[in-house]
Every structure is written in structure tokens, then in C-alpha cells.
Amino acid sequence: MKLNALNFSGGPGALPESVLEQTRDAIIALPDTGMSVLGMSHRSDWFRAVLDEAEQNLRHLLGVSDDYAVTFLQGGSSLQFAMIPMNFAARAVAPPEYVSTGYWSAKATTEAAKVTERNIIWDGGATGYRSLPDLQALGVAPSAAYLHYVSNETVEGLQFPDCKQGAIAAPLIADMSSDFLSKPICTAAYSMIYAHAQKNLGPAGVTVALIERALLDRIPNGLPAILDFRTHVQHSSNYNTPPVFAIYVLMLVTRWLRDDIGGLHAMQTINERKAQRLYDTLDALGDAVTVHAQPRWRSRMNVAFTFGDSRLDRAFIRVAREQGLTGLEGHRSIGGLRASLYNAVGEAAVERLAAVLTEFSLQRA
Ligand code: PMP
């Protein structure tokens, strides 16, 4: 198995082998232009077609209606932590509401406070971010500017179930950076969804944002153009020089999902099997390992766990590396181990990880 396929990194992570091959060729000469993708103008017809196909593929995969704009932005998801309150809080009757469910939503909450008044209506920090709230039961104020949450907490390995349309009274905004395109979602339940590319979509450098067009009317005038969502919608994500390379690779990944995988239902089935296999393996090890998330909230994308002793965790990382398995270090904020099971990590890779985990524990029992 190629080492790319055994990359369990939290992101940037594994990309589909066929996409890497096309990307390698495109760096030298694109099949359709003969030019290197790295030297293609963002004003070329070729790039216009890439943007169009990326958008169409996303609309097709996720069932996104014309009520939403699809934009490709820069600055990562971190910029969205600031841009969202700048754009959508100023003209609202009541402040936005935030749930703090892990490392990344806590960051979003902190950044929002620099821009606007905001309410934290649930905070799992005191209990170590091991569980999630039922969003619907939180009683979000209908007049709130929006409710912001992170659908999958990449560090702690916690994942919300899908949100139902109409379940939340205020506009719902989700950071889906680490589970976007891993399964179908009810896009109509959201006013905005954003996700950076470096998990399931492609290389770092581009962030996809689906924005309900009605929400654009709430943006105050006078924002710097680059920070105003309307600029990117009006210029079809080609206002200043976009990350042409990253968007090209993202387009190839969406093609792979559409043609090779067969859509997001098929992707979800594979991802569920992978996660089940790994959690079953960890559960079978009994007290030897602890999974960070409470069972009900376990993420299908990021499995955070520990052998309970940093020396053992480090020993496991060494053993795994000898077998070609990489990226298993836990996030620096909580330590331990983390296996990220993004779309391009195949079932054979998970089988290999399960076998190495079991053998490692048996040897130390
Ligand atoms: N949100 C989530 C859920 C993440 O996992 C990350 C990074 N891993 C971020 C936001 C920050 O993203 P970026 O580095 O693109 O700013």
C-alpha cells in the first residue's frame, strides 16, 4: 500500500491516489491546455471552466439549490471565524449565539467576541469536551443573528448528527471543515456552511462557503471588499487572484466523489464501516485504551484515544510508523493519539491500523 493511503493525519491528509496522479501530470502539462497548472491565469477560460465544474459538482453532490451561492475563499476556516460575525452580526436584532464544544468552536467563539457581542449558550470546556448538546433543545433565540457551531470537532473527535430543516429558529451557520463531503447533509437546514479543503476536499489554500442568498442582505455596507461576502459572490470567486492550483485539485476530488465513489451516500457507507471497524477494535481492547468522546458523540472522521500514558502513546506511534502508518499523533492541545479517517483513507488502511493496535496491546498485556 502506498504511504499516502496510510496517512491518518488530522489535515492536510491523504488525497485519492488517482487525484494525486492527475495533479502530478497537471504540474507539468494540463491535458486540455498543455500548460502547467501552476502557470494558468485565473482569468483564463480554462480556469472559468474549473470554477464552474467545481461549483456544479458540489451542487450535485450536496443537493445545493440556487437559493445558495457557492464561493471559494482564502484565509482558511480561521478567517471565517472573523468574517462571519463581521458580515452577519452588525445589523441583527440580537447578538449571535455560539456553542463551545471543542478546540475549534472555542476559537470561533473567541474570535467572534473581538468583532461583536455574542452569547455562548453551551460550553463543554469544564467537562473536557467529551460530549455535545442537542442543538434543538437549546432554545436558540429566533431574533439571534445566527447560531454558530462546529459539526465535527477535529481535535476531540466529537460529531453532531445532521441538523433537520427548521429545527433551529435562527439562521444556522456550521463550520464543517472536518466532515464536509464525508456524507450527505440537509443543506436546506443551514444558512451558511463553510469548510476548508485540507481534510476531504483537496490541499490547503481554499475554503468552500455555501451561503444562503437571503443572508447577504444583512451585510452592513463599508466592510473592506475582500472581507465582504458579496464581493466574492458578485465576482464568482474571482475577485482577486484565487488559489488556482488548490481549486483545480478540489475540482478533481469532487469528480472522484461523483464518478469513482458514486456520490455521498456511497461515501458515507464506506466511512461508517471504517469508523465502526476502528471503534470496535478500540472497544475490544477494554481498559487498555480510552476513547476521548462519549460513545454517543463519537466522530466518524477523527478518532481521538489514548493508552493512558504518554510513553505508551509514543511507543505506539513508533510501532505504527514502522508499519507505514503516519499522522497518528493527537492534537497538541490534548495529546494522546488520533486517527483521522478522511475520505481518501481506505478500508485496507483501517484494517492495517486495527491489526497494529491489537498486536501492540497484546504485546503489552
Ligand atoms: N475548524 C475546524 C473544524 C478545523 O478542524 C480547523 C483546522 N484543523 C479549523 C477550523 C482551522 O482551519 P484553518 O487552518 O483552515 O484556518
Side-chain angles (χ1 to χ4, degrees):
M1 219 184 303
K2 295 224 173 101
L3 290 188
N4 169 60
L6 295 167
N7 182 359
F8 291 91
S9 163
L15 286 176
E17 208 57 38
S18 60
V19 169
L20 290 180
E21 282 162 9
Q22 292 172 77
T23 304
R24 175 197 60 204
D25 294 348
I27 286 175
I28 305 300
L30 283 162
D32 15 13
T33 70
M35 302 261 296
S36 165
V37 63
L38 299 177
M40 288 303 298
S41 165
H42 60 298
R43 302 287 173 212
S44 61
D45 291 344
W46 171 84
F47 185 58
R48 182 72 261 152
V50 168
L51 272 176
D52 285 348
E53 182 175 343
E55 174 175 343
Q56 286 320 313
N57 289 350
L58 286 170
R59 286 190 185 278
H60 167 79
L61 287 164
L62 291 159
V64 183
S65 79
D66 282 341
D67 294 342
Y68 293 78
V70 177
T71 56
F72 300 95
L73 307 170
Q74 298 186 66
S77 290
S78 299
L79 182 57
Q80 294 312 307
F81 295 166
M83 247 173 109
I84 287 166
M86 287 172 99
N87 280 261
F88 300 131
R91 292 179 50 198
V93 174
E97 306 202 329
Y98 279 74
V99 284
S100 185
T101 53
Y103 182 86
W104 288 111
S105 55
K107 280 232 153 148
T109 306
T110 305
E111 288 301 285
K114 297 174 185 169
V115 176
T116 176
E117 190 189 330
R118 53 94 182 102
N119 297 325
I120 301 175
I121 57 169
W122 195 89
D123 190 345
T127 47
Y129 294 135
R130 289 173 192 274
S131 65
L132 297 173
D134 173 356
L135 287 182
Q136 205 168 342
L138 291 177
V140 173
S143 56
Y146 55 82
L147 170 67
H148 179 278
Y149 81 110
V150 172
S151 61
N152 182 75
E153 287 284 4
T154 323
V155 171
E156 294 83 1
L158 302 162
Q159 189 174 26
F160 278 96
D162 286 333
C163 220
K164 288 186 224 58
Q165 193 169 353
I168 308 295
L172 185 59
I173 299 188
D175 171 359
M176 294 198 184
S177 293
S178 51
D179 64 355
F180 194 62
L181 299 188
S182 70
K183 58 183 172 62
I185 44 170
C186 173
T187 40
Y190 299 87
S191 289
M192 176 171 170
I193 293 171
Y194 64 99
H196 62 200
Q198 62 263 33
K199 280 31 170 167
N200 282 324
L201 287 61
V206 59
T207 300
V208 172
L210 314 179
I211 311 169
E212 197 178 3
R213 292 187 201 277
L215 209 62
L216 298 171
D217 297 337
R218 302 192 176 194
I219 301 173
N221 288 326
L223 287 176
I226 193 88
L227 298 177
D228 186 324
F229 286 118
R230 290 171 300 190
T231 305
H232 302 285
V233 173
Q234 280 157 14
H235 292 84
S236 306
S237 303
N238 212 339
Y239 166 66
N240 64 328
T241 317
V244 172
F245 175 73
I247 294 172
Y248 173 68
V249 180
L250 180 150
M251 184 279 284
L252 294 177
V253 171
T254 58
R255 243 187 223 174
W256 171 80
L257 276 168
R258 187 193 66 191
D259 300 341
D260 296 21
I261 298 294
L264 295 186
H265 280 289
M267 193 70 252
Q268 178 177 35
T269 305
I270 299 169
N271 284 334
E272 293 280 350
R273 275 203 304 261
K274 281 153 45 184
Q276 191 69 47
R277 179 77 180 94
L278 187 52
Y279 284 119
D280 284 350
T281 303
L282 292 170
D283 289 343
L285 300 180
D287 293 341
V289 289
T290 308
V291 174
H292 184 84
Q294 286 178 7
R296 181 172 167 206
W297 307 108
R298 287 175 171 184
S299 163
R300 305 321 174 264
M301 289 283 104
N302 309 98
V303 180
F305 62 101
T306 174
F307 282 101
D309 170 344
S310 58
R311 274 169 316 172
L312 271 183
D313 288 341
R314 278 200 300 275
F316 177 72
I317 286 168
R318 273 196 304 277
V319 169
R321 198 168 289 145
E322 281 160 20
Q323 303 291 320
L325 309 164
T326 59
L328 288 161
E329 296 81 3
H331 188 266
R332 59 191 185 284
S333 62
I334 64 167
L337 300 160
R338 173 178 56 174
S340 297
L341 308 178
Y342 299 133
N343 288 349
V345 174
E347 291 183 83
V350 178
E351 280 307 321
R352 171 97 64 104
L353 174 59
V356 176
L357 272 168
T358 305
E359 198 183 319
F360 179 84
S361 312
L362 285 177
Q363 277 173 3
R364 265 145 196 88

